[in-house]
Amino acid sequence: MIDHFGINCADLDAAKRFYDGVLAVLGSRRVMDFEVAVGYGSEQPVFWISGAAEGASNREAHIAFSAPDTATVDAFHAAALELGAESLHAPRLWPEYHPGYYGAFVRDPDGNNVEAVFHGAAQ
């Protein structure tokens, strides 16, 4: 069900030091680093940290749900919009994450970033 998730941190540098240390003990490491966001895992990122948005009143969470195919990602996005969600990113390929990464992102009623993702979409 959960593909990956992420949290925002008040001090990203301190969070990087902390998670580098504690997750290494558990067998995980930085597998992606975009400077503003870092993904941890053993082979693929499953836990992300990033800095809190400037001036944000709350610190959003990011939750990505696994989808079995691209049509389901599209249906997730359409259903979310019908339910009043804000679209953050319409369904598309995200090659900067990895080839075949197909995802859509919406903002839920509490301000969280919710995604549906399929790994393996045709290019």
Side-chain angles (χ1 to χ4, degrees), residues 58-94:
N58 74 329
R59 293 178 26 196
E60 72 179 34
H62 172 68
I63 303 111
F65 295 101
S66 295
D69 51 41
T70 60
T72 304
V73 172
D74 295 345
F76 161 87
H77 188 259
L81 296 184
E82 287 177 20
L83 292 166
E86 171 191 356
S87 178
L88 297 174
H89 300 288
R92 71 173 178 88
L93 285 168
W94 295 85

Side-chain angles (χ1 to χ4, degrees), residues 11-105:
D11 182 338
L12 185 56
D13 289 331
K16 287 178 187 179
R17 284 189 301 278
F18 176 79
Y19 286 110
D20 284 352
V22 299
L23 294 179
V25 172
L26 299 173
S28 293
R29 61 181 173 78
R30 284 190 201 190
V31 293
M32 285 190 170
D33 190 338
F34 292 100
E35 296 182 21
V36 297
V38 176
Y40 293 90
S42 57
E43 294 179 29
Q44 307 183 132
V46 294
F47 172 65
W48 287 86
I49 62 170
S50 62
E54 188 72 32
S57 61
N58 74 329
R59 293 178 26 196
E60 72 179 34
H62 172 68
I63 303 111
F65 295 101
S66 295
D69 51 41
T70 60
T72 304
V73 172
D74 295 345
F76 161 87
H77 188 259
L81 296 184
E82 287 177 20
L83 292 166
E86 171 191 356
S87 178
L88 297 174
H89 300 288
R92 71 173 178 88
L93 285 168
W94 295 85
E96 59 270 36
Y97 298 154
H98 69 70
Y101 190 112
Y102 188 84
F105 301 77

